[in-house]
Amino acid sequence: MSHKAKNTAIHSKKKQENDYFCNMMKNKVLTMCALLLSAMVGSAKVQLPQIFQSGMVLQRGMTMPVWGQADPSEAITVKLNKKVCSTTADAKGYWRVDLPAMKAGGPYELTVNDQVLNDVWVGDVWLCSGQSNMETTVERVYPQYPDEIDAEANDRVRLFHVAYNANAHGEQADLKPAQEWQKLNKTNAWRFSAIGYFLGKHLQQEKGVAQGIIESAWGGTPIEAWIAPDTIARHYPVYHRQTLLYQNDDFLRAQQQANMLADRQWQQILAQSDPGCQKSDVKSGMLWTSPSYDDSNWAEVNQYALNAYPSPLAGRRQFIGTIWLRQHIHISKEHAGKKAQLLLGTLYDCDFTYINGQQVGNTGYQYPPRRYQVPEGLLREGDNVITVRFINKNGIPYFVQEKPYRLVFGKDDIQPLSEQWKLQTGAEMPRAEGAGVSIQNQPSVLYNGMIRPIAPFAVAGVLWYQGESNTGKAREYEPMLRLLMSNWREAFQRPDLPFVIIQLANYMAFSEKPQDTGWSQVREAQRTVATNDERAELALTIDLGETVDIHPLRKKEVALRVAQCLDKLVYGKKNTVLAPQVVNYEVKDGSIILTMDQPMQVADVKYFEVAGNDGRFTNTTAKAEGNRIVIASPLPQPTAIRYAWKDNPIGVNAYSQAGWPLSPFQLSVK
């Protein structure tokens, strides 16, 4: 297997005289500019797309497109740091100029006729896209890095969050109105992509130039939602017809209305039927949240075995409706009345949580960590009661292990909760009707509303972290990822636009036996695409995941690996060493010998498997040393090997001497 020859040259152009650029681009109006008519008509004032705002960062070292809408034939003059370009709006009012390449610097004023944008910097701009692991916020990972996130701000890192916009009607002219470009500080970054946050801080400190981070991501969305409609229509006509369903606004509204009414009716019946919400308890007449309620006859259960004996859920795999849990905790005189934070790990699925009868938190779905603030004065000396009302529409409610369950009064002042709870069922319900309309998951709708309106804004590169939502149809992922990259390069008019593909992390239960699941197949698709594209690199996370959390917290480590990829891919650091790769193999004397492109750490490597002609894989042993991995073959004629081919190959231990893990892979050795 030969390793691809990476093109590490930085995309750049020689400086040209200002007039050369202005005259060259004077009458160049892109196809995308035609989209602006529907969004920017009827005003004599020159209008700019949402992405152009005060506080922004423009990309250094390459021409910088600036575009917008005005009256037909209106003269347009754009100025930035003594660079001046002029053009005339066309018959429909569309115009564009390309400012010449500039060195990093700022702050500058960008003027477009009478409009002035202040505090504009020239530096590096990154587009961060994908689904929920790209979207995972600084707030979510805060407990992992409290000191760093609490540290001083960096106003030379600017953050721009693209508002959700799923549109089935075609490519949109502009983004939905969104927040302005924000300076990086804890407040502004709290709901921003943690990967984008850590990447921006790291690169600004390392490169010394302003960093602009554009987050355009939407949790739970499949890759086809981010691919251009003409491409979907050409390559996946069935998906295209699926999108056409949602071009009928009446149909979409009817679907959404029906599902909203179904959910409202379900919730109303649940509330009316749940005895814990009514003062109808024959014994006490109290709500089940009341600290005085007598729960002595409730079953006592362990939080990690809610359906075990003697629970009323014993042996059940599903309980739709509500269950109630209560735990009595003793608060000392020292802690009484103090504010605190209640950490309830991660719960499945929806919870309403109370302390001494007062609601302190509510989370509507399974993934967010429960970090609920306990106000001053609520906790009292002696007995206190935590009550959790679970609402479940599928399966059995459960507590996620390996997450914290405690009261936190201060950094080193922690009171753990017990694993034991009192449990009582509330109201059992029929399955909720209607699955809902997830318009954001339809093909092309996010390309239309959240990517195309940004283009051709100049960016240094793209970070793509997505794939979890495509593990159920993993065989499609490789061609779709190639199409997405081609689409975006065309939209941004950058055939060499760099991509860093962030590979799926390890997740779910460990299996000792060989597996062949969608998670491994998507990882292989990501690896294959990155390996065969000279303008792409793979950032590995196979050792950064969590068994119990699809959103692992170690996002800074992900960002630092992305930064190393960018050092090689964008900044041209030829000595940058990334993940080890196989460059050759041979089958010899009952062993398969892999030659690597760099020295490996000495280890007895876990998670290699070998298959024969029947295609059935079996576990085997391997040894890494120097530039070789020697795999013992239990088969006389092996035909294939694979490494870490599991949902969660926990504790992978094949690392290069530079500290990068080996990517999961599959290889024919016939």
Side-chain angles (χ1 to χ4, degrees):
M1 176 192 291
S2 58
H3 178 49
K4 68 176 180 180
K6 283 286 185 179
N7 178 359
T8 57
I10 303 173
H11 177 75
S12 62
K13 295 182 180 180
K14 292 182 179 180
K15 283 189 174 182
Q16 305 291 332
E17 292 296 325
N18 186 43
D19 288 342
Y20 171 82
F21 281 96
C22 297
N23 293 332
M24 177 182 174
M25 303 311 302
K26 184 175 182 180
N27 296 313
K28 184 177 180 182
V29 179
L30 300 176
T31 302
M32 65 80 52
C33 292
L35 298 168
L36 290 169
L37 179 61
S38 60
M40 300 179 176
V41 295
S43 173
K45 186 177 181 180
V46 172
Q47 297 189 39
L48 292 168
Q50 286 286 323
I51 194 71
F52 291 96
Q53 297 185 29
S54 293
M56 69 190 299
V57 179
L58 297 172
Q59 180 58 44
R60 62 171 169 162
M62 64 182 67
T63 57
M64 298 171 285
V66 181
W67 68 94
Q69 200 266 339
D71 283 346
S73 302
E74 183 172 356
I76 307 296
T77 300
V78 180
K79 301 178 182 178
L80 177 68
N81 189 33
K82 301 180 181 179
K83 307 294 184 181
V84 182
C85 284
S86 298
T87 191
T88 302
D90 70 8
K92 293 184 178 180
Y94 312 122
W95 58 268
R96 168 180 162 171
V97 299
D98 280 20
L99 290 168
M102 294 176 55
K103 293 181 179 179
Y108 303 124
E109 285 187 350
L110 174 68
T111 65
V112 182
N113 284 12
D114 59 348
Q115 291 196 56
V116 180
L117 304 183
N118 298 302
D119 193 27
V120 175
W121 291 77
V122 176
D124 293 328
V125 183
W126 310 100
L127 174 57
C128 301
S129 190
Q131 59 180 109
S132 55
N133 267 302
M134 181 60 80
E135 203 176 21
T136 297
T137 62
V138 169
E139 184 272 337
R140 178 79 68 89
V141 306
Y142 175 76
Q144 193 81 11
Y145 316 98
D147 293 339
E148 178 171 353
I149 294 172
D150 286 338
E152 63 183 53
N154 187 332
D155 65 3
R156 293 183 67 187
V157 180
R158 305 298 170 90
L159 313 173
F160 185 86
H161 185 271
V162 174
Y164 288 163
N165 185 15
N167 198 297
H169 289 283
E171 299 174 7
Q172 299 301 291
D174 200 3
L175 302 171
K176 280 188 175 179
Q179 67 178 31
E180 299 175 350
W181 285 83
Q182 300 281 338
K183 297 177 181 179
L184 186 147
N185 57 47
K186 182 179 176 180
T187 299
N188 292 338
W190 198 239
R191 298 293 182 187
F192 197 79
S193 164
I195 291 176
Y197 166 88
F198 287 117
L199 180 71
K201 285 181 63 176
H202 172 79
L203 290 181
Q204 201 287 315
Q205 292 165 2
E206 185 178 78
K207 311 303 179 185
V209 303
Q211 300 290 317
I213 310 295
I214 302 170
E215 178 195 345
S216 183
W218 194 328
T221 55
I223 191 172
E224 57 265 29
W226 299 93
I227 298 176
D230 59 341
T231 299
I232 289 290
R234 187 165 60 252
H235 294 274
Y236 299 95
V238 174
Y239 284 173
H240 175 64
R241 293 174 196 128
Q242 179 179 331
T243 307
L244 294 179
L245 288 172
Y246 297 98
Q247 290 184 356
N248 185 315
D249 292 336
D250 291 337
F251 169 76
L252 181 59
R253 279 192 296 268
Q255 288 273 13
Q256 292 172 331
Q257 179 73 6
N259 284 288
M260 181 185 68
L261 292 174
D263 182 70
R264 184 185 299 168
Q265 185 74 357
W266 193 90
Q267 296 288 351
Q268 182 177 339
I269 295 170
L270 176 65
Q272 293 170 349
S273 306
D274 191 342
C277 297
Q278 318 297 328
K279 292 184 179 180
S280 58
D281 187 279
V282 175
K283 183 177 179 181
S284 66
M286 293 181 181
L287 296 173
W288 290 1
T289 56
S290 170
S292 302
Y293 177 78
D294 182 4
D295 55 25
S296 59
N297 65 336
W298 286 24
E300 185 170 322
V301 297
N302 184 281
Q303 67 187 34
Y304 302 123
L306 298 184
N307 61 342
Y309 182 81
S311 168
L313 304 178
R316 300 187 65 160
R317 295 184 177 181
Q318 177 173 282
F319 184 89
I320 297 173
T322 56
I323 68 165
W324 292 75
L325 297 171
R326 285 169 59 92
Q327 178 173 151
H328 292 255
I329 57 172
H330 182 83
I331 297 298
S332 67
K333 181 178 181 180
E334 177 188 1
H335 290 126
K338 287 188 174 182
K339 65 181 180 180
Q341 186 179 52
L342 174 63
L343 302 183
L344 268 184
T346 307
L347 308 175
Y348 181 84
D349 186 27
C350 169
D351 75 284
F352 290 83
T353 297
Y354 306 80
I355 293 182
N356 294 336
Q358 179 176 323
Q359 183 175 320
V360 294
N362 160 237
T363 304
Y365 65 109
Q366 70 184 95
Y367 292 121
R370 274 59 169 178
R371 302 177 189 146
Y372 298 148
Q373 304 306 313
V374 182
E376 189 174 358
L378 182 57
L379 294 171
R380 59 197 186 192
E381 184 180 0
D383 186 62
N384 294 256
V385 180
I386 301 172
T387 307
V388 180
R389 181 181 183 237
F390 275 100
I391 299 178
N392 236 45
K393 293 186 176 183
N394 184 57
I396 288 286
Y398 62 84
F399 290 69
V400 175
Q401 294 194 43
E402 303 177 19
K403 296 295 182 179
Y405 297 89
R406 62 187 63 149
L407 273 171
V408 179
F409 295 95
K411 185 175 181 180
D412 298 314
D413 191 358
I414 295 170
Q415 181 170 338
L417 301 184
S418 170
E419 291 184 9
Q420 299 300 117
W421 295 77
K422 293 295 191 74
L423 182 149
Q424 182 62 274
T425 57
E428 188 168 3
M429 291 286 290
R431 185 176 298 277
E433 295 296 331
V437 175
S438 299
I439 182 64
Q440 73 273 16
N441 294 336
Q442 306 311 312
S444 303
V445 296
L446 302 184
Y447 176 87
N448 291 340
M450 297 176 65
I451 295 299
R452 195 63 182 89
I454 301 172
F457 195 83
V459 298
V462 175
L463 282 60
W464 176 251
Y465 195 169
Q466 190 278 337
E468 298 90 340
S469 289
N470 286 88
T471 54
K473 44 188 177 182
R475 302 296 182 188
E476 296 178 346
Y477 198 81
E478 182 179 337
M480 281 193 169
L481 182 53
R482 295 184 195 280
L483 290 172
L484 178 142
M485 294 164 69
S486 177
N487 281 168
W488 292 22
R489 284 166 171 161
E490 181 179 359
F492 285 88
Q493 299 171 23
R494 292 275 308 285
D496 61 348
L497 180 65
F499 275 79
V500 174
I501 301 164
I502 303 173
Q503 195 181 53
L504 296 188
N506 54 303
Y507 172 57
M508 293 186 286
F510 170 72
S511 173
E512 182 66 37
K513 296 180 180 179
Q515 291 179 301
D516 188 20
T517 69
W519 282 73
S520 293
Q521 293 165 19
V522 168
R523 290 190 194 111
E524 179 69 352
Q526 293 169 325
R527 185 193 70 84
T528 302
V529 171
T531 300
N532 293 312
D533 189 311
E534 292 189 347
R535 298 299 294 159
E537 288 290 356
L538 187 70
L540 300 182
T541 64
I542 196 61
D543 57 339
L544 299 178
E546 298 181 31
T547 300
V548 297
D549 198 340
I550 199 171
H551 305 120
L553 298 182
R554 297 171 65 187
K555 293 297 191 267
K556 178 180 179 181
E557 289 81 348
V558 177
L560 294 179
R561 287 184 180 172
V562 169
Q564 286 182 274
C565 292
L566 295 175
D567 276 343
K568 183 175 183 180
L569 188 62
V570 176
Y571 294 109
K573 289 191 174 181
K574 295 182 179 180
N575 60 346
T576 302
V577 179
L578 301 180
Q581 297 194 45
V582 179
V583 295
N584 203 355
Y585 72 87
E586 64 175 323
V587 180
K588 182 179 180 181
D589 299 330
S591 297
I592 304 161
I593 303 168
L594 304 181
T595 302
M596 311 303 294
D597 67 345
Q598 57 189 285
M600 303 294 292
Q601 296 180 17
V602 176
D604 293 322
V605 178
K606 300 187 289 187
Y607 305 137
F608 268 100
E609 301 168 12
V610 177
N613 289 323
D614 61 1
R616 298 178 61 182
F617 282 86
T618 184
N619 295 335
T620 190
T621 59
K623 176 82 171 182
E625 188 172 3
N627 282 61
R628 303 199 314 169
I629 299 177
V630 180
I631 306 162
S633 175
L635 305 174
Q637 292 183 321
T639 61
I641 61 168
R642 61 190 189 189
Y643 167 70
W645 199 266
K646 300 177 183 294
D647 292 331
N648 185 10
I650 191 167
V652 290
N653 67 336
Y655 282 85
S656 69
Q657 290 187 7
W660 274 80
L662 175 63
S663 170
F665 70 91
Q666 184 167 280
L667 173 64
S668 173
V669 293
K670 294 180 180 180

